[in-house]
Amino acid sequence: MKKKWVYCGAPLKERQKWSKALGVSPLLASILKERNEDIDSARHFLAGAQEPLANPFLLPDMEKAVERLLLALERKEKIVVFGDYDVDGMTATSVLTRVLRRCGADVSYYLPNRLKEGYGLHAQNVEHVAAKASLLITVDCGIRSLVEVEMATKLGLDVIITDHHRPGSELPKALAVVNPRRPENRFPDTEIAGVGISFELCRALWQRLYKKPFLDDIDIVAIGTVADVVSLRGENRKFVQLGLAQIENIGLKQLIKVCKLENKKITASQVGFVIGPRLNAAGRLGDPNDGVRLLLSDDQEEAAQIAGRLDEQNRRRQEIVEEAFEQALKLLEGDAAPQHVVVVGAPHWHEGIIGIVASRLCEHFYLPVVVLSIEGERAKGSCRSIAGFDICAALEANREYLDVFGGHSQAAGLSLSIQNIKGFKRALEAYAKDHLTKELMTPKLKISAILKSADLNEALPQELERLEPYGMGNPAPRFLCAAARVESATAFGRENKHLRLSLAVESMARKAIFWQQGEIAPQLAGQTFDFVFAPQIETWQQKSYFQMIIGDYQKSCVKGSYPAHADLGSFYLALKKNAGADGYIEEDVLMRLKKEQGLAEEMFSRCVKIFEEVELLRKDEKKIALLPASSKKDLNDSATFRERYFEQ
């Protein structure tokens, strides 16, 4: 799908101002300005984990939760940690269970089976917990379990809710409800994942018990935070920076080994695309408790066996996802093409993978998506959305068709009767039509700077490391490499899915990779394109080299005749040479220079306008005046110059 390229670079004066204030390069300063409200917030962003973690007692009901835990420890009560079957739930369960055991608690855990029980608390599992414990602590779930919490209380259970999902109009009547999205929250970050809240409870308990800070198991917190695709800013950024820098958990080490990432620097991207999916496979296809067993294990051999099992389940999951995705595309081909929202379902789709299929379809169509797994008279659905469209609000507006729903603005789950599917689809399409504009339905690719060949070296990704970890809320920056000639394009990988490129950029050779684009190799070879890319340092046989990871491309100068840097440089030198002592250049001289430079009228007008926009000249009626260049100028500050690459 065609993306709209959006230039996000800051004007040169602003880059210089932020660069001086923050002590970073102008390029890094430009990216920081794009992503932060002011210099002070950018300074905090750069500091990241160098700044202390926030006070956990600023979270609502944290004091109550800790007091109840202290009482449970004193009385040696039986505690059950109740989690979710995704990576966030597994890691949240593991962290709290590990810490409570370290504090001497009699604690077990319970993760519902996705296929047999579904998400969250249900009467059956509440009864199960009540038969064996007196204190129930939910992690990554429970905020909307009003009936189940009331039932638990009647059965003699005290309940502590820790959850990061959006509360309903009424809170469960639990002993404590620790959730940063509550109106009375004083914690500085409302975006922490379920595992983050679980960790904050551990920090608060440890502080009260031992009067010292707690950072154990931060590696598990980092994995869950990245895998839950929450914003990697604020406290989350600190968690991930600290956790990925010191991976000590035996189970995680074995999983990293299975992923063939040993002795490599673990990045958030590797967690999101390699490590996280293997943990998630347990909850999607098998026993979600396998993920917790891995993270709780202190035995190398046991952890290796579990990691191997998760790896195999992930391979199976990939096959099932691919099959369902292809089937969904065929179903949608037979139907009217999706206009504002995609709703598709089938009886044979595995409930554990419909969320991934929804994500794939959302990316493919760039529309909100609902994927349904139909079983008998009922259907369960997973929703994914695009930026600017709140899918949870859309479900709320059409709740008359739904039995249960909940989630975030960009991802949600639901269940409904099959008799309601057609009505729900029509109503959701009508809602989306009213709330989605053409602008929102056009995917945007933000570009931080237009770089020259001299900028394309190992120093670039090394400098950008200060922005990591990348993820939601802090994406890896993308850059534009203009007028790169493709010297060779070679397909590689399984079924030749990927593309390896050799590029000539301003006569200098550069290497590039274009994932999932092997089939277009013949279209690129020998042609000149503008490429959007992310920089990378690749290591092969103990040698490192600079590499571009291509994200998009377009034929150079597809919109007509636009001046390049060289054209503008030549014309400006001619203007300076022919300007009078007062800086003016008369019309007849301008016409002569236009002819000498070989500039057509359109090209000549654009050159003059570009120089005007960067304050190199002033245009009067039939003459121009060169302005004193008191400071460095950047042609990229000119909107007219950027039209060469970007829609305005």
Side-chain angles (χ1 to χ4, degrees):
M1 176 173 286
K2 174 67 177 172
K3 298 182 178 71
K4 180 179 180 180
W5 293 7
V6 180
Y7 180 73
C8 298
L12 180 61
K13 289 180 181 178
E14 291 296 309
R15 298 203 302 269
Q16 291 171 333
K17 175 185 174 183
W18 281 56
S19 172
K20 183 178 180 181
L22 296 170
V24 299
S25 72
L27 176 63
L28 203 58
S30 180
I31 299 169
L32 288 166
K33 185 179 188 306
E34 171 198 341
R35 301 180 182 199
N36 293 275
E37 292 181 4
D38 50 43
I39 289 173
D40 194 48
S41 61
R43 190 175 285 115
H44 286 299
F45 176 85
L46 281 175
Q50 295 172 25
E51 295 184 342
L53 295 174
N55 180 358
F57 286 99
L58 295 176
L59 282 160
D61 286 356
M62 183 62 83
E63 189 74 49
K64 292 180 184 178
V66 170
E67 289 299 326
R68 183 62 185 86
L69 276 173
L70 290 171
L71 186 62
L73 290 172
E74 182 184 329
R75 293 176 175 174
K76 301 191 183 303
E77 294 180 61
K78 292 185 182 297
I79 305 170
V80 171
V81 177
F82 188 101
D84 186 19
Y85 40 65
D86 67 358
V87 180
D88 190 18
M90 292 177 200
T91 51
T93 300
S94 302
V95 168
L96 187 54
T97 301
R98 287 173 66 91
V99 173
L100 288 175
R101 286 178 178 173
R102 218 170 288 155
C103 294
D106 182 355
V107 59
S108 58
Y109 60 89
Y110 189 107
L111 271 66
N113 184 288
R114 181 193 293 262
L115 303 180
K116 295 177 181 177
E117 299 170 82
Y119 172 79
L121 292 168
H122 294 281
Q124 182 182 350
N125 47 46
V126 168
E127 288 177 351
H128 176 83
V129 172
K132 59 187 292 188
S134 57
L135 177 59
L136 169 65
I137 309 173
T138 73
V139 292
D140 193 32
C141 62
I143 194 63
R144 291 182 179 239
S145 301
L146 277 66
V147 173
E148 291 78 12
V149 170
E150 186 177 351
M151 175 185 174
T153 304
K154 288 179 179 177
L155 290 173
L157 274 171
D158 278 347
V159 181
I160 295 172
I161 302 286
T162 75
D163 197 355
H164 70 123
H165 295 99
R166 187 187 298 172
S169 57
E170 184 181 350
L171 292 177
K173 290 182 172 58
L175 185 73
V177 180
V178 185
N179 186 315
R181 296 183 186 274
R182 289 179 58 181
E184 56 269 54
N185 174 62
R186 294 183 295 125
F187 194 77
D189 196 338
T190 61
E191 299 294 321
I192 53 177
V195 67
I197 299 172
S198 180
F199 179 63
E200 294 298 339
L201 178 57
C202 294
R203 289 181 60 224
L205 177 64
W206 200 267
Q207 183 177 319
R208 194 55 58 84
L209 274 174
Y210 304 111
K211 313 298 181 191
K212 58 183 180 180
F214 176 82
L215 272 181
D216 292 0
D217 300 317
I218 191 70
D219 47 359
I220 304 177
V221 179
I223 300 298
T225 297
V226 173
D228 209 46
V229 201
V230 291
S231 174
L232 293 191
R233 300 180 68 88
E235 297 302 291
N236 290 333
R237 177 171 168 79
K238 298 175 189 177
F239 294 159
V240 177
Q241 282 183 331
L242 291 168
L244 296 188
Q246 53 183 48
I247 294 179
E248 299 173 351
N249 182 270
I250 289 172
L252 281 180
K253 285 183 176 180
Q254 289 300 320
L255 194 59
I256 287 168
K257 186 175 182 180
V258 161
C259 297
K260 297 181 172 54
L261 295 174
E262 271 186 306
N263 303 317
K264 291 186 178 181
K265 176 189 173 185
I266 302 300
T267 65
S269 177
Q270 290 166 338
V271 173
F273 293 103
V274 183
I275 298 170
R278 283 164 172 78
L279 276 171
N280 236 337
R284 293 188 184 280
L285 302 185
D287 180 4
N289 291 288
D290 252 358
V292 179
R293 292 187 194 106
L294 177 79
L295 299 174
L296 293 180
S297 179
D298 290 322
D299 184 279
Q300 297 264 14
E301 187 175 338
E302 177 193 44
Q305 289 175 353
I306 298 172
R309 244 184 351 257
L310 295 176
D311 188 49
E312 180 56 38
Q313 286 174 347
N314 188 57
R315 274 194 287 271
R316 181 169 160 246
R317 187 270 307 165
Q318 289 172 324
E319 293 170 358
I320 296 172
V321 166
E322 195 61 39
E323 182 181 355
F325 177 68
E326 293 299 328
Q327 289 170 351
L329 289 179
K330 288 181 180 177
L331 286 171
L332 292 165
E333 284 173 8
D335 196 359
Q339 296 298 310
H340 297 90
V341 68
V342 176
V343 180
V344 63
H348 50 277
W349 287 344
H350 195 296
E351 189 183 320
I353 55 87
I354 56 175
I356 304 173
V357 176
S359 293
R360 292 271 301 271
L361 291 171
C362 186
E363 183 178 349
H364 182 83
F365 290 104
Y366 202 71
L367 291 172
V369 173
V370 180
V371 175
L372 300 170
S373 173
I374 301 169
E375 189 69 37
E377 296 299 310
R378 314 221 54 77
K380 290 185 178 180
S382 191
C383 316
R384 297 294 183 271
S385 193
I386 60 175
F389 185 83
D390 187 332
I391 191 66
C392 215
L395 298 182
E396 181 74 47
N398 295 286
R399 63 183 308 153
E400 63 196 90
Y401 298 98
L402 307 175
D403 297 333
V404 180
F405 70 93
H408 310 293
S409 64
Q410 300 296 287
L414 59 85
S415 68
L416 75 168
S417 165
I418 60 170
Q419 282 87 5
N420 285 339
I421 292 176
K422 286 186 179 179
F424 172 65
K425 183 176 180 179
R426 283 194 300 268
L428 195 62
E429 170 65 24
Y431 180 93
K433 185 178 180 180
D434 287 342
H435 289 78
L436 279 175
T437 62
K438 184 179 179 181
E439 180 73 10
L440 285 176
M441 291 190 291
T442 302
K444 296 172 182 62
L445 190 55
K446 293 184 176 181
I447 297 169
S448 296
I450 304 168
L451 299 183
K452 299 178 182 178
S453 178
D455 301 316
L456 308 181
N457 55 55
E458 291 186 27
L460 177 61
Q462 287 170 349
E463 179 182 33
L464 295 175
E465 284 181 0
R466 294 192 67 182
L467 300 174
E468 294 182 9
Y470 298 132
M472 180 66 70
N474 184 43
R478 298 288 185 268
F479 304 98
L480 179 62
C481 172
R485 179 177 172 80
V486 180
E487 299 295 307
S488 68
T490 308
F492 74 100
R494 191 170 65 181
E495 300 177 0
N496 284 330
K497 280 190 174 182
H498 312 302
L499 196 55
R500 184 176 287 113
L501 303 174
S502 292
L503 306 177
V505 187
E506 300 170 23
S507 301
M508 298 182 72
R510 294 291 181 265
K511 298 180 185 293
I513 296 292
F514 204 171
W515 300 117
Q516 306 294 329
Q517 298 294 329
E519 61 185 26
I520 68 170
Q523 302 170 30
L524 301 188
Q527 303 295 313
T528 300
F529 296 93
D530 302 330
F531 289 104
V532 179
F533 72 97
Q536 182 189 69
I537 296 175
E538 181 64 18
T539 302
W540 174 253
Q541 295 181 342
Q542 299 182 327
K543 291 184 178 180
S544 297
Y545 61 90
F546 176 85
Q547 181 171 266
M548 299 159 63
I549 306 300
I550 305 299
D552 201 9
Y553 70 104
Q554 67 182 14
K555 192 79 171 157
S556 286
C557 278
V558 293
K559 298 176 193 169
S561 182
Y562 282 84
H565 275 90
D567 302 320
L568 290 159
S570 174
F571 185 40
Y572 185 70
L573 287 175
L575 291 174
K576 284 185 69 175
K577 186 176 179 181
N578 287 272
D582 57 359
Y584 277 98
I585 305 171
E586 300 296 334
E587 183 182 18
D588 60 332
V589 178
L590 280 175
M591 294 305 102
R592 175 174 58 80
L593 293 178
K594 183 173 77 169
K595 186 175 181 181
E596 289 176 357
Q597 293 289 314
L599 299 175
E601 182 62 36
E602 186 180 28
M603 178 76 91
F604 171 77
S605 297
R606 282 182 177 141
C607 288
V608 171
K609 191 173 182 182
I610 289 167
F611 291 144
E612 276 189 290
E613 289 173 348
V614 296
E615 299 178 348
L616 282 172
L617 61 80
R618 183 182 69 251
K619 186 178 179 183
D620 292 336
E621 289 181 3
K622 291 188 177 182
K623 58 185 179 181
I624 63 174
L626 294 185
L627 300 176
S630 56
S631 60
K632 185 179 178 182
K633 305 294 182 181
D634 185 351
L635 293 175
N636 294 323
D637 286 350
S638 163
T640 301
F641 180 73
R642 296 197 304 269
E643 286 177 6
R644 180 184 177 95
Y645 315 110
F646 303 96
E647 292 180 18
Q648 300 302 311

